[in-house]
Amino acid sequence: MNIEIYTQDDCPPCTFIKQYFTNKGYAFIEKNIKHIPYKIEMIDYNAMSTPLIKIDDTLFYQPDIEKIEAYLNA
């Protein structure tokens, strides 16, 4: 399973979702959009806010824990 989280500085939902995955023991790649290539990637996914969570090829445009857990437990 490949988890990528697009984040930005001073983003409480970003901090929350990173802590969630850490507490659950999932490894993830953080892509802070202050780095332009990551910002471009995020925009290419039609996302205009952080966090954007990508698990394999599935996108979650907000930290909806119920939907994320349903996906992880499927």
Side-chain angles (χ1 to χ4, degrees), residues 6 33 35-47:
Y6 292 82
I33 64 169
H35 302 288
I36 299 303
Y38 295 150
K39 187 174 191 172
I40 292 168
E41 284 178 25
M42 193 180 94
I43 292 169
D44 286 345
Y45 290 126
N46 292 318

Side-chain angles (χ1 to χ4, degrees), residues 1 55-58 60 66-74:
M1 180 176 313
I55 305 174
D56 298 326
D57 291 325
T58 302
F60 298 88
E66 288 182 14
K67 287 182 182 178
I68 292 169
E69 286 189 351
Y71 180 85
L72 293 172
N73 294 323

Side-chain angles (χ1 to χ4, degrees), residues 7-68:
T7 64
Q8 62 182 321
D9 297 336
D10 301 320
C11 167
C14 298
T15 301
F16 168 80
I17 201 66
K18 290 187 297 183
Q19 191 63 48
Y20 167 81
F21 281 112
T22 298
N23 288 345
K24 293 286 186 175
Y26 289 102
F28 60 87
I29 297 168
E30 180 177 2
K31 294 186 170 186
N32 191 308
I33 64 169
K34 70 182 173 187
H35 302 288
I36 299 303
Y38 295 150
K39 187 174 191 172
I40 292 168
E41 284 178 25
M42 193 180 94
I43 292 169
D44 286 345
Y45 290 126
N46 292 318
M48 298 298 150
S49 63
T50 57
L52 170 65
I53 303 123
K54 182 179 176 204
I55 305 174
D56 298 326
D57 291 325
T58 302
L59 297 171
F60 298 88
Y61 291 92
Q62 53 186 315
D64 186 330
I65 296 303
E66 288 182 14
K67 287 182 182 178
I68 292 169

